[in-house]
């Protein structure tokens, strides 16, 4: 039988990896032997490579369809395929069985502690990538290392172990990071997946928590002999023992003695190795016993085999083979599967506790009583009933709330409900707003609050009869009784000083110091503002915006401008006493754009000329914000300041700063001071701004250190944004700056806002993350809130929850609209509660979990050393996974890493957070960059953190040119790059186009308009507009990616082996980073070590 034809492809597993220099691999041999065709098997119950049953001649297995990996068959402890009572390809699913895997009869010798089969617990497990070819599998099985030995048992007779042999690194390109102990670099826990045979459906039983499992290399245990060359007759490609699914409903098929019967696929067992070497030969009946004589056709010793003699030879270099990353969970595959499974159907929010599709999936939402996941996403949609259970699992209970999120055009904005002078109906005790979960009783005359259980009277004007189910007959006519999200018009009681607010104002405050004039910034900005003022946000169908505008310029002093419509020319008033700031004019400072159009245009023409010859290099900063806030206070309105600033404010004035940039503090206990503001003056100023409803958006144009950590305090606490354009040059950065400015000025903002999150009895909101200010423990105060900002809320138990009633959240946001209307936006969400940990793990959302953990860590660096913050994250992640392993997974060998299906990407994503610039900066990352990213991530939504921490890498030249759809992404690793292709990488802030050195000349000509790779300009930021399909396709893709993100992504063309390639590789997050961050594979091994320590 030709094995290469009928052997089913399987997932590849561990190969020899380069070892960290300086670390010894205990109990590993490593002298290669001859090159004959071998296969080798370890001691019984010790680490073994998996061997799979081959079908007898004439029985061939159907190849997997559509590139999915083949069905993994359940295997017994020795790697024999145990089909048990199920037919070929059947997968067992169901409740946990208490029957443990049994060891074989005691007549066989045994080596180390038993290695149970790899246990995988998917209900429906998604495939990872295409199956490897037969040639690949042969290569990948060479030098397989599998060990799960917990404590070494006495060695079998005749087998001597020598002292540990140090193995030479197979690759010199990975210096030792010293972070993750003695795992071989790049060696990962191989994944065991239980999957149905293509075409065979697994029997449906109660769905267990889904999981994926791996067998990582332990640092003890013998290295298994490598396998090179052709396979033995009758042997199919195999990996380590591939498990049965978790929670089988009937006893696990027990490991049978040799010669056991297997239903489904009878056939000969794969022959074991044999030669004069001590070992375990397979007798004719398949059992282990005393060695026979050498078999013909097999060399001795086995190629690549470890000769377990007492005198180890000199260390031999290993062949440079790497573990196939398809054996560990792939973010790309998970995203793709979710798109395929959940992208076509609308997500209907009527059912409590539903986990929504991933943020990377395009889907429509139908609001039927719970808020859309575009407004609220939770870390888990099934929360533990008790605090003890929550502490045990360590899964943070948090919600990422985006109250003013923009919706796609196909989805309706929240309805606005006007209850007249009486205002919205609320609970008398807890003040929760009327929502679909309130229970009407006594024929509709009273209602019971779903949050605090208080009984309330229904006002006569709101009364309605109930139908036979106890529901109001007008329930579906009232948004607040049938929808998860809606708005109420607020009455005067909800306004400051019991007075309806005026429409808000925008004040543009422009730095006119030497740097700003010289770079061309001032001229560019003034020119753009002329047209931009036509696009101020407006309410609904209003013809023009109600927002008024004002202008200030500044360097060491401030210049206010009177642009009253009755003036022929604008008038300038200078305030030089910056220590005691006041606004020199009221009338004519804030004006309506259409009325004062001519005067404003004249002013914007004059500003660049007025300051063209300035030599003033010093600037002030705090007094500028103070002036804007005082102007809004005088006009009795809320509003926003747009500050355009270039340098560290060193002029004598309140808020003066000094240069404190000190890279020597990195990795010391004082590193946290780099993230803290220099002075408390800015916090005080921010507090005053919030009280006035004055939001600050800051555009920075630094050529050197400007102390972003301090300058961003006011934008951060007022709900504003910070934009940073280092070394700004008009020709290179104009498009990015103007695009950001347009979007920032045009976006809909809620002003002078207060947000409160109410919960049903049993949990309460205890912690908040985002860009806002809090003067008490419950109210989130936001001078401004736009559609890009989120507030992340953490919940803790204060009582026991009830499985039947579940848990409820209500987010209420009171704000002033762009037209000056006071409104309340309400979002409601019902969650399930559980008494079983398995239910918690089955309903988690990893993307939201990572969003929360990143924000938690980024706030932690303000008060703790960065190393402490990193260790806290790793420990928490290990505790989450160890709790799952201990309480939800079937018993299995400690040598396996078992991950819940919903959380199988937690290690790769967490590693990306740990390697981020804030927590592990490279030498090229400035202090300002770290502070900038830290405050940026604080208010990101889940979709933004997902792509920010794990960038998208799109191959542009692999799909046909005619195909205009977005190409499928590949994993963010250098291994995925081919030097004959072009790739586009984006992370929400950066857009890099990587060009391989061997790209076809025609492609280079079509895209760049030059004839060869060497003529492409490295660092190019604009692609030439060429009239061909490829050029149009790539430029169209870039435009569509930019449209998806809240900030403009500047393009940088990176050529292979160019100095800019280091920047590109920084974003290949599955690889080891230059700053010492672990590769995905290494981190997975490290997590497994941490979990094993917790479990032991």
């Amino acid at each position: 039988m030709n094995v290469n034809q009928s052997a089913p492809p399987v997932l590849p597993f561990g190969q020899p990896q380069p070892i960290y220099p300086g670390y010894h691999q205990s109990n590993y041999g490593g002298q290669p032997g001859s090159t004959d065709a071998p296969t080798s098997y370890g001691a019984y119950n010790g680490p073994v490579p998996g061997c799979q049953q081959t079908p007898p001649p004439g029985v061939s297995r159907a190849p997997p369809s559509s590139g999915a990996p083949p069905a993994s068959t359940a295997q017994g402890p020795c790697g024999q395929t145990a089909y048990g009572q199920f037919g070929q390809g059947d997968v067992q699913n169901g409740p946990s069985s208490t029957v443990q895997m049994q060891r074989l009869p005691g007549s066989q010798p045994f080596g180390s502690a038993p290695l149970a089969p790899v246990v995988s617990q998917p209900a429906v497990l998604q495939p990872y990538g295409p199956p490897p070819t037969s040639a690949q599998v042969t290569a990948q099985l060479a030098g397989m290392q599998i060990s799960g030995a917990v404590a070494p048992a006495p060695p079998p007779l005749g087998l001597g172990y020598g002292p540990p042999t140090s193995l030479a690194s197979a690759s010199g390109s990975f210096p030792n990071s010293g972070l993750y102990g003695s795992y071989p670099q790049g060696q990962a826990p191989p994944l065991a997946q239980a999957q149905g045979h293509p075409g065979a459906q697994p029997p449906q039983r109660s769905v267990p928590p889904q999981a994926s499992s791996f067998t990582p290399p332990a640092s003890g245990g013998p290295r298994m002999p490598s396998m090179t060359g052709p396979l033995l007759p009758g042997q199919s490609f195999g990996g380590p023992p591939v498990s049965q699914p978790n929670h089988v409903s009937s006893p696990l098929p027990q490991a049978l003695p040799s010669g056991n019967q297997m239903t489904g696929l009878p056939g000969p067992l794969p022959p074991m190795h044999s030669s004069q070497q001590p070992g375990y030969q397979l007798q004719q009946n398949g059992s282990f016993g005393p060695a026979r004589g050498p078999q013909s056709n097999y060399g001795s010793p086995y190629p690549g085999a470890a000769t377990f003699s007492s005198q180890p030879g000199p260390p031999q270099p290993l062949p440079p083979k790497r573990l196939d990353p398809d054996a560990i969970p792939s973010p790309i595959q998970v995203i793709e599967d979710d798109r395929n499974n959940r992208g076509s159907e609308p997500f209907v929010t009527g059912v409590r506790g539903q986990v929504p599709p991933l943020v990377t999936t395009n889907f429509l939402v139908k609001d039927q009583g719970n808020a859309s996941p575009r407004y609220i996403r939770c870390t888990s949609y099934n929360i533990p009933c008790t605090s003890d259970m929550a502490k045990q699992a360590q899964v943070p209970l948090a919600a990422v709330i985006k109250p003013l999120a923009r919706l796609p055009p196909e989805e309706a904005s929240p309805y606005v409900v006007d209850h007249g002078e009486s205002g919205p109906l609320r609970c008398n005790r807890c003040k929760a707003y009327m929502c679909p979960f309130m229970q009407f009783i006594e024929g509709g005359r009273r209602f019971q609050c779903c949050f605090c259980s208080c009984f309330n009277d229904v006002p006569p004007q709101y009364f309605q009869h109930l139908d036979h189910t106890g529901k109001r007959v007008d329930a579906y006519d009232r948004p607040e009784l049938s929808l998860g999200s809606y708005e109420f018009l607020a009455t005067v009681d909800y306004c400051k000083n019991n007075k309806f607010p005026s429409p808000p104002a925008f004040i543009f405050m422009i730095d006119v110091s030497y740097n700003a004039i010289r770079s061309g910034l001032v001229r560019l900005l003034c020119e753009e503002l002329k047209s931009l003022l036509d696009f101020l946000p407006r309410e609904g169908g209003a013809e023009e915006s109600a927002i008024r505008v004002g202008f200030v310029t500044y360097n060491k002093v401030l210049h206010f401008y009177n642009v009253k419509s009755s003036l022929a020319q604008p008038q300038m008033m200078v305030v030089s006493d910056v220590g005691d700031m006041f606004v020199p004019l009221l009338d004519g400072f804030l004006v309506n754009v259409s009325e004062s159009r001519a005067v404003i245009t004249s002013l914007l023409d004059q500003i660049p000329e007025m300051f063209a010859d300035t030599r003033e290099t010093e600037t002030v900063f705090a007094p500028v914000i103070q002036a804007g806030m005082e102007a809004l206070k005088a006009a009795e309105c809320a509003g926003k300041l747009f500050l355009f600033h270039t340098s560290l404010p060193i002029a004598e004035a309140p808020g003066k700063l000094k240069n404190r940039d000190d890279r020597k503090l990195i990795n010391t206990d004082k590193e946290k001071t780099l993230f803290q503001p220099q002075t408390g003056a800015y916090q005080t100023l921010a507090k005053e701004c919030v009280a006035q409803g004055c939001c600050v958006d800051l555009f920075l144009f630094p050529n050197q250190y400007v102390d972003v950590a301090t300058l961003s305090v006011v934008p951060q606490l007022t709900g504003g944004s910070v934009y940073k354009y280092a070394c700004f040059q008009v020709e290179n950065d104009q498009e990015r700056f103007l695009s950001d400015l347009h979007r920032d000025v045009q976006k809909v903002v809620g002003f002078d806002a207060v947000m409160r999150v109410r919960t049903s009895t049993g949990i309460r909101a205890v912690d908040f993350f985002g860009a806002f200010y809090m003067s008490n423990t419950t109210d989130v105060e936001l001078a401004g809130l736009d559609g890009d900002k989120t507030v992340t809320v953490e919940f803790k138990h204060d009582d026991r929850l009830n499985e039947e009633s579940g848990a409820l959240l209500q987010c209420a946001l009171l704000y002033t609209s762009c037209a000056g209307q006071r409104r309340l936006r309400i979002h409601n969400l019902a969650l399930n509660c559980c008494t079983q940990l398995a239910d918690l793990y089955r309903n988690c959302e990893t993307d939201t979990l990572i969003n929360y953990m990143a924000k938690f860590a980024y706030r932690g660096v303000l008060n703790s050393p960065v190393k402490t913050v990193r260790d806290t994250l790793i420990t928490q992640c290990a505790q989450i996974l160890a709790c799952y392993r201990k309480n939800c997974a079937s018993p299995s060998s400690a040598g396996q890493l078992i991950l819940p299906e919903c959380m199988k990407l937690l290690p790769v994503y967490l590693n990306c957070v740990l390697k981020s610039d804030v927590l592990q900066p490279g030498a090229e990352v400035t202090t300002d960059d770290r502070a900038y990213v830290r405050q940026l991530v604080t208010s990101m939504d889940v979709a933004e953190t997902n792509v920010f921490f794990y960038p998208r890498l799109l191959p542009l030249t692999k799909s046909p040119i005619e195909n205009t759809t977005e190409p499928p992404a590949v994993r963010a690793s250098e291994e995925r790059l081919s030097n004959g292709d072009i790739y586009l990488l984006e992370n929400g802030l950066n857009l890099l186009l990587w060009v391989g050195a061997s790209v076809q000349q025609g492609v280079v000509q079509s895209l760049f308009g030059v004839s060869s790779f060497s003529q492409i300009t490295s660092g190019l930021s604009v692609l030439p507009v060429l009239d061909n399909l490829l050029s149009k396709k790539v430029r169209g893709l870039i435009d569509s990616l930019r449209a998806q993100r809240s900030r403009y992504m500047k393009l940088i063309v990176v050529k292979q082996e160019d100095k800019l390639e280091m920047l590109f590789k920084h974003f290949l997050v599955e690889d080891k980073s230059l700053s010492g961050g672990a590769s995905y594979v290494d981190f997975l091994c490290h997590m497994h070590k941490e979990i094993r320590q917790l479990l032991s």
Side-chain angles (χ1 to χ4, degrees), residues 560-563 571 573 582-589 631 634:
F560 292 78
Y561 297 93
N562 183 345
V563 282
Q571 295 173 346
M573 298 183 180
F582 68 99
V583 181
L585 76 161
L586 293 178
D587 189 30
F589 179 62

Side-chain angles (χ1 to χ4, degrees), residues 229-274:
L231 284 117
L232 304 187
Q235 180 184 339
S236 78
F237 299 114
V242 180
S243 77
Q244 323 196 56
N246 184 25
H247 304 308
V248 287
S249 55
S250 41
L252 292 165
Q254 297 179 4
L256 301 172
S258 50
N260 60 349
Q261 314 256 313
M262 299 191 196
T263 27
L265 249 163
L269 280 163
M272 291 297 193
H273 65 268
S274 75

Side-chain angles (χ1 to χ4, degrees), residues 687-1011:
K687 190 176 170 182
E688 292 173 27
C689 287
V690 172
Q692 185 47 48
C694 168
C695 173
V696 179
D697 279 0
L698 175 59
F699 292 80
L700 283 171
F701 306 87
N703 290 334
Q704 52 197 14
Y705 177 75
V706 288
D707 200 349
V708 172
T710 305
L711 297 188
S712 64
V713 166
V714 178
Q716 177 80 4
L717 292 177
T718 59
S721 306
V722 179
Y723 299 85
K724 180 166 163 284
Y725 310 88
C727 303
F728 179 81
Q729 294 176 304
V730 170
E731 57 276 13
N732 291 339
D733 302 295
Q734 166 177 343
E735 194 175 357
R736 178 176 158 225
F737 163 55
L738 295 182
S739 174
D740 286 343
L741 178 62
H742 268 263
R743 192 183 175 107
D744 197 58
V745 168
Q746 292 175 45
K747 63 186 171 191
V748 173
V749 182
F751 293 97
D752 209 2
V754 182
M755 184 180 114
R756 180 175 283 194
V757 178
R758 294 180 173 83
T759 54
S760 53
T761 311
I763 54 169
R764 62 195 169 89
V766 294
D767 208 352
F768 300 84
F769 304 82
F772 53 76
Y773 176 76
M774 291 186 80
S775 55
N776 58 38
T777 56
T778 54
D779 292 337
V780 175
E781 298 174 45
L782 303 120
L785 176 68
D786 60 56
D788 297 326
K789 298 280 189 310
T790 64
V791 176
T792 301
V793 186
E794 186 184 5
F795 303 98
K796 287 258 164 70
H797 288 74
D798 57 8
D799 203 347
R800 190 184 172 85
L801 290 165
N802 185 330
E803 245 183 314
E804 280 178 31
S805 54
L808 302 174
L809 316 177
Q810 184 179 79
C811 163
L813 177 79
L814 174 65
Y815 71 99
T816 301
S817 74
C818 293
Q821 201 174 48
R822 202 73 173 145
R823 291 185 179 180
L824 282 153
R825 180 169 287 202
I826 313 295
H827 298 297
N828 304 288
L829 186 63
L831 302 172
N832 286 330
C833 297
C834 59
T835 53
Q836 300 294 320
L837 282 166
D839 292 324
L840 164 69
Y841 282 101
R842 197 183 290 120
N843 291 280
C844 286
E845 237 252 314
T846 301
D847 293 327
T848 311
L849 205 53
I850 288 294
N851 180 285
Y852 164 83
M853 291 171 104
K855 290 172 181 177
F856 178 81
Y858 281 18
R859 186 177 69 184
V861 297
L862 290 172
N863 306 305
S864 307
V866 172
K867 184 182 184 306
T868 308
V869 173
R870 290 165 48 80
D871 291 345
T872 304
L873 280 184
I874 292 172
T875 305
Q876 182 172 18
C877 180
Q879 284 172 331
I880 291 171
L881 298 176
C883 175
Y884 176 82
R885 172 70 184 260
K886 184 178 175 185
N887 298 290
C888 307
S890 290
S892 60
S893 153
Q896 293 170 305
L897 172 59
I898 297 182
L899 302 173
E901 179 66 17
C902 283
M903 288 189 188
K904 63 186 175 192
L905 298 181
L906 187 61
V908 62
Y909 285 162
L910 183 69
N911 190 34
C912 296
V913 175
L914 294 171
K915 287 159 68 169
S916 63
D917 290 340
V918 173
L919 299 183
Q920 195 161 27
E924 73 293 342
V925 181
T926 66
T927 308
D928 275 346
D929 286 335
R930 296 177 74 194
Y932 174 63
V933 168
R934 195 194 76 78
Q935 62 81 33
L936 207 57
V937 168
T938 304
S939 49
M940 275 186 182
D941 69 10
V942 180
E944 287 171 325
T945 51
N946 173 273
V947 76
F948 178 74
F949 288 115
Y950 192 96
R952 275 204 295 178
L953 183 59
L954 307 172
L956 301 183
T957 44
K958 287 191 185 295
S959 56
I961 295 181
E962 308 76 51
N963 187 354
T964 53
T965 55
E966 191 177 291
V970 296
R971 293 169 70 164
S973 168
E974 195 173 349
E975 288 188 348
R976 305 287 162 164
L977 302 177
S978 150
N979 59 8
D981 287 310
I982 296 178
Y983 297 82
L984 190 62
L985 182 143
E986 67 113 357
N987 73 342
L989 298 179
N990 308 86
L991 199 55
L992 302 173
L993 189 76
W994 184 87
V995 186
S998 308
V999 171
Q1000 291 175 358
Q1001 192 177 343
V1003 171
V1004 172
Q1005 184 71 50
S1006 299
L1007 205 50
F1008 301 100
V1010 295
S1011 55

Side-chain angles (χ1 to χ4, degrees), residues 424-429 434 438-449 453-464 472:
L425 186 58
R426 304 174 72 175
C427 168
N428 291 329
R429 184 198 289 164
M434 179 54 66
M438 299 287 192
Q439 191 69 44
F440 286 88
I441 51 173
E442 297 180 20
R445 288 186 295 278
R446 305 184 79 198
F447 71 91
Q448 183 178 13
C449 175
S453 305
C454 173
F455 292 98
N456 298 269
D457 292 329
V458 174
Q461 72 274 17
Y462 199 76
F463 172 78
Q464 186 53 269
R472 282 175 57 123

Side-chain angles (χ1 to χ4, degrees), residues 298-317:
Y298 294 113
S300 120
Y302 315 104
T307 51
F308 297 107
S309 61
S310 55
Q311 293 299 319
Q316 297 287 334

